[in-house]
Amino acid sequence: MFDRIMNIAACGGALIGAGAAMAAGQEEALAAVPSGLQLSVADQFLEKQPDGTTWARFRFVAPEIGDGVGVGRVGDDFLHLCDKYALPRLENLGLDVSQVVISMSSKDVEFGATAPDIVQFFDAFSVETGRCIWEAF
């Protein structure tokens, strides 16, 4: 899963996994989000921040959000993905991050790219005592 570490010059981070590197069975776990939407992993990486902290980004594709599914339906999915998907992977690797950012898009889009025709939602969580705590922007 997180076996490939690469520099990502555009975002100053390191790749910690990709959908293609997922083990068998993980796709099933993604289907179990509260909204019932089918998700696939776009990418996952660590991003060093200017203040020295590290953020983990977990990006998912949910094609249905491009067909009118709004953020209200997927709102609970973000905390679920942080607690049940992101944190276990980070903990298994012994990675300590200050924030986890979960994003969903209607189509796979390159990180940081502008794509006005693609619906994208995101949410951020601080990590405290092994739990994701929602960060209001």
Side-chain angles (χ1 to χ4, degrees):
M1 172 65 162
F2 296 102
D3 58 337
R4 296 184 302 152
I5 304 293
M6 301 171 55
N7 288 328
I8 299 176
C11 65
L15 187 69
I16 56 174
M22 291 180 58
Q26 288 180 335
E27 292 83 358
E28 294 171 18
L30 290 176
V33 294
S35 70
L37 295 180
Q38 295 292 319
L39 303 177
S40 60
V41 176
D43 63 15
Q44 304 160 99
F45 57 91
L46 298 177
E47 184 179 33
K48 196 72 161 174
Q49 299 300 303
D51 66 359
T53 62
T54 301
W55 292 6
R57 292 191 180 263
F58 290 82
R59 301 176 64 235
F60 300 90
V61 174
E64 290 173 274
I65 66 174
D67 294 329
V69 171
V71 71
R73 179 166 170 199
V74 299
D76 291 339
D77 294 352
F78 291 99
L79 179 60
H80 177 85
L81 289 166
C82 188
D83 277 336
K84 305 295 183 193
Y85 185 86
L87 285 187
R89 281 153 183 77
L90 294 168
E91 290 170 1
N92 285 342
L93 293 169
L95 296 173
D96 185 28
V97 300
S98 62
Q99 192 165 67
V100 173
V101 179
I102 305 288
S103 64
M104 291 181 211
S105 61
S106 58
K107 295 180 182 175
D108 194 8
V109 61
E110 182 180 336
F111 179 73
T114 301
D117 58 323
I118 297 177
V119 178
Q120 298 182 65
F121 302 135
F122 66 94
D123 222 335
F125 302 86
S126 57
V127 178
E128 296 178 20
T129 61
R131 299 201 58 212
C132 291
I133 309 298
W134 179 62
E135 290 290 323
F137 286 104

